[in-house]
PDB file of all heavy atoms in Angstrom:
ATOM      1  N   THR A 633      30.207 -19.343  26.117  1.00 98.00           N
ATOM      2  CA  THR A 633      28.750 -19.259  26.118  1.00 98.00           C
ATOM      3  C   THR A 633      28.319 -18.710  24.749  1.00 98.00           C
ATOM      4  O   THR A 633      29.112 -18.684  23.812  1.00 98.00           O
ATOM      5  CB  THR A 633      28.258 -18.391  27.307  1.00 98.00           C
ATOM      6  OG1 THR A 633      26.845 -18.337  27.296  1.00 98.00           O
ATOM      7  CG2 THR A 633      28.825 -16.986  27.284  1.00 98.00           C
ATOM      8  N   TYR A 685      19.420  -7.387   6.975  1.00 98.00           N
ATOM      9  CA  TYR A 685      20.703  -7.726   7.593  1.00 98.00           C
ATOM     10  C   TYR A 685      21.667  -8.227   6.538  1.00 98.00           C
ATOM     11  O   TYR A 685      21.261  -8.638   5.442  1.00 98.00           O
ATOM     12  CB  TYR A 685      20.509  -8.785   8.691  1.00 98.00           C
ATOM     13  CG  TYR A 685      19.899 -10.068   8.189  1.00 98.00           C
ATOM     14  CD1 TYR A 685      20.699 -11.154   7.854  1.00 98.00           C
ATOM     15  CD2 TYR A 685      18.518 -10.178   8.002  1.00 98.00           C
ATOM     16  CE1 TYR A 685      20.145 -12.332   7.366  1.00 98.00           C
ATOM     17  CE2 TYR A 685      17.955 -11.349   7.509  1.00 98.00           C
ATOM     18  CZ  TYR A 685      18.770 -12.422   7.185  1.00 98.00           C
ATOM     19  OH  TYR A 685      18.222 -13.578   6.685  1.00 98.00           O
ATOM     20  N   PHE A 897      38.880 -12.695  36.055  1.00 98.00           N
ATOM     21  CA  PHE A 897      38.324 -11.695  35.116  1.00 98.00           C
ATOM     22  C   PHE A 897      38.480 -12.122  33.660  1.00 98.00           C
ATOM     23  O   PHE A 897      37.693 -11.717  32.804  1.00 98.00           O
ATOM     24  CB  PHE A 897      38.999 -10.326  35.335  1.00 98.00           C
ATOM     25  CG  PHE A 897      40.444 -10.298  34.911  1.00 98.00           C
ATOM     26  CD1 PHE A 897      40.800  -9.988  33.609  1.00 98.00           C
ATOM     27  CD2 PHE A 897      41.466 -10.592  35.814  1.00 98.00           C
ATOM     28  CE1 PHE A 897      42.124  -9.970  33.219  1.00 98.00           C
ATOM     29  CE2 PHE A 897      42.794 -10.593  35.430  1.00 98.00           C
ATOM     30  CZ  PHE A 897      43.128 -10.283  34.125  1.00 98.00           C
ATOM     31  N   SER A 970      16.624   1.821  30.690  1.00 98.00           N
ATOM     32  CA  SER A 970      16.536   0.829  31.763  1.00 98.00           C
ATOM     33  C   SER A 970      16.296  -0.566  31.189  1.00 98.00           C
ATOM     34  O   SER A 970      15.594  -0.730  30.186  1.00 98.00           O
ATOM     35  CB  SER A 970      15.382   1.186  32.704  1.00 98.00           C
ATOM     36  OG  SER A 970      15.226   0.155  33.657  1.00 98.00           O
TER      37      SER A 970
END
Side-chain angles (χ1 to χ4, degrees):
T633 181
Y685 59 96
F897 69 88
S970 174

